[in-house]
Amino acid sequence: MNEVWRANATFLIVDDQEYNLSLLERILRRAGFTHLHCTTDPKQMEQLYDELKPDIILIDLHMPEMDGFTLLKRLQELKPEGDYLPILVLTADVTQEAKKEALHLGANDFLTKPLDKTEVVLRINNCLRTRFYNIQLQDQNQRLEQRVQERTTELEKAKNEILQLLARTSEFRDDDTGQHTVRVAQMAEEIAIALGLPPQEVRLINRATPLHDIGKIGIPDEILLKPGRFTPEEFLRMKEHTTIGASILEGSQFSVLQLAQTIAITHHEKWDGTGYPNGLKGEEIPLAGRIVALADFYDALTNERPYKRAWTRQEAIAEIKKQRGAHFDPMIVDVFLEIVGEDEPFSTAEEERALQR
């Protein structure tokens, strides 16, 4: 056994006979062990265990007032789960019943009285070797778990960055600031929180929402960037960004991309069934799609686009109120109005420019 282990091993020995303690101390010190803590009072065992955090415990089985069986039961309650702490029983009682009971209560080995010094040292060395190998294994597992956690965190960051980059591609051609997806995701998150959705679902909506318009990469510039109103034919083509986006995101095994696909194809559906691409009505429209429909509408109104000026916040809120129960889910409109009725957390591009004048 490594000499460092031998020098550092901490012993707790409980025996009501001073002679037995003195004998064990002599044997162990001659074997190179130095951290020896002994007591003749079994009632002190728990306090000494807490103070010393021993690497090995030796317990006499038969003692007055509190026997070794009682101490073994208590040690099972004190030991941390998964911690290998060797417990050796000192006894002259070698009956099968006593051994079975001691083993059942957590004893690892026996030292039979009268003690044989060679046997004592060999058995203790074996127990301590297992103890310190177990400690090394736990340390190694902790290091591996830390590395796995670090790697998982890195992969999560990479996944989030990829999602953000994908979202930027959808806005690159018709949003000069590139902040539309960020603002819509922020508002969708606020609405989801106000609706009382679970934190995990709120986070998923926040991460999936920026991809709602990814299908715009399939729309020609002459339509996407056209100033003024679309012709009926151009509007039909523009509507295709919902199905294009859903096709791009189709087939993913990741929940965030699955939700992003749902949002992409449903965020232009309307509560009254007059939306596109599938004319869904009411609660046929997934909740995330209904949330993003309003968040996207508000941000689109209050920020300048190639085909329109930026509306004021008051104008946009008035229009959303007008569309309650028609374009938008009434419940979501009510929640939205509670949010923007307080200190408005979502400043518009027009308001930001006014503050800078």
Side-chain angles (χ1 to χ4, degrees):
M1 185 173 61
N2 190 297
E3 292 302 319
V4 175
W5 294 352
R6 187 187 303 275
N8 292 334
T10 298
F11 285 71
L12 174 57
I13 307 172
V14 184
D15 195 310
D16 64 316
Q17 298 295 322
E18 287 281 1
Y19 171 79
N20 291 332
L21 293 178
S22 298
L23 177 59
L24 274 170
E25 280 196 88
R26 288 197 301 272
I27 293 172
L28 293 172
R29 289 191 186 282
R30 287 173 182 173
F33 299 108
T34 57
H35 299 288
L36 309 176
H37 303 271
C38 305
T39 181
T40 58
D41 183 1
K43 295 178 182 178
Q44 293 184 347
M45 187 275 294
E46 186 170 340
Q47 179 182 346
L48 290 170
Y49 173 87
D50 290 335
E51 292 175 356
L52 300 171
K53 304 301 181 190
D55 295 301
I56 188 167
I57 300 177
L58 282 67
I59 298 176
D60 185 22
L61 198 57
H62 297 294
M63 295 179 287
E65 297 186 37
M66 187 179 293
D67 62 17
F69 295 115
T70 302
L71 296 185
L72 287 169
K73 291 178 183 177
R74 185 62 185 134
L75 282 169
Q76 291 308 303
E77 298 172 0
L78 294 173
K79 287 195 307 179
E81 186 177 354
D83 184 27
Y84 176 77
L85 174 63
I87 303 172
L88 276 72
V89 170
L90 309 170
T91 182
D93 183 357
V94 293
T95 63
Q96 289 298 316
E97 290 75 12
K99 285 187 175 181
K100 287 180 181 178
E101 179 68 10
L103 290 169
H104 176 71
L105 293 174
N108 299 96
D109 208 343
F110 298 87
L111 290 173
T112 306
K113 299 177 181 179
L115 299 174
D116 178 87
K117 65 179 182 179
T118 301
E119 180 185 12
V120 168
V121 174
L122 286 175
R123 290 184 183 276
I124 285 175
N125 278 344
N126 286 337
C127 286
L128 283 175
R129 186 176 291 109
T130 304
R131 160 78 172 172
F132 287 109
Y133 283 162
N134 181 262
I135 290 174
Q136 286 183 333
L137 182 61
Q138 287 183 336
D139 289 343
Q140 183 179 10
N141 287 341
Q142 287 179 355
R143 289 193 296 271
L144 288 174
E145 287 177 7
Q146 183 177 354
R147 290 176 186 173
V148 169
Q149 184 60 46
E150 289 172 354
R151 183 59 177 158
T152 301
T153 301
E154 290 176 2
L155 290 174
E156 186 69 14
K157 287 181 179 178
K159 185 165 70 173
N160 288 337
E161 286 182 8
I162 290 171
L163 289 173
Q164 291 169 8
L165 292 173
L166 283 173
R168 287 180 197 170
T169 64
S170 66
E171 297 299 319
F172 182 75
R173 293 153 64 211
D174 71 334
D175 179 15
D176 292 339
T177 66
Q179 291 299 304
H180 170 68
T181 58
V182 175
R183 292 190 302 265
V184 174
Q186 182 185 357
M187 179 173 284
E189 179 182 33
E190 290 291 328
I191 293 172
I193 292 171
L195 287 170
L197 299 185
Q200 184 177 0
E201 193 170 342
V202 171
R203 183 168 178 266
L204 204 61
I205 288 173
N206 174 268
R207 294 173 63 199
T209 295
L211 299 176
H212 68 282
D213 274 341
I214 193 170
K216 286 182 177 179
I217 63 176
I219 305 302
D221 284 351
E222 58 268 23
I223 296 177
L224 188 65
L225 304 180
K226 179 183 177 180
R229 298 180 64 85
F230 293 134
T231 65
E233 293 77 15
E234 289 169 339
F235 187 50
L236 285 174
R237 186 65 188 277
M238 186 63 187
K239 288 180 179 180
E240 292 177 3
H241 81 276
T242 56
T243 53
I244 293 171
S247 297
I248 291 172
L249 298 167
E250 186 177 11
S252 175
Q253 297 180 353
F254 294 106
S255 56
V256 64
L257 293 179
Q258 291 171 352
L259 182 61
Q261 182 193 19
T262 298
I263 292 172
I265 202 167
T266 61
H267 72 285
H268 282 293
E269 299 288 357
K270 295 184 179 181
W271 184 254
D272 62 5
T274 62
Y276 63 88
N278 296 313
L280 301 180
K281 183 177 182 179
E283 293 187 358
E284 293 176 350
I285 309 167
L287 179 59
R290 284 178 267 152
I291 291 172
V292 175
L294 193 150
D296 182 44
F297 185 84
Y298 176 74
D299 192 78
L301 286 183
T302 54
N303 289 276
E304 186 175 342
R305 288 300 179 91
Y307 51 85
K308 59 170 280 297
R309 68 171 179 85
W311 290 29
T312 66
R313 173 173 171 262
Q314 291 72 22
E315 288 172 332
I317 291 174
E319 181 63 22
I320 288 171
K321 287 180 178 179
K322 182 180 176 182
Q323 293 294 332
R324 183 183 185 277
H327 190 155
F328 304 115
D329 180 344
M331 175 182 65
I332 293 176
V333 171
D334 293 343
V335 166
F336 166 80
L337 293 175
E338 289 178 7
I339 294 170
V340 298
E342 301 173 0
D343 292 336
E344 168 61 30
F346 307 103
S347 60
T348 67
E350 179 181 271
E351 290 166 340
E352 288 175 358
R353 286 194 297 271
L355 290 172
Q356 294 171 0
R357 289 172 187 159

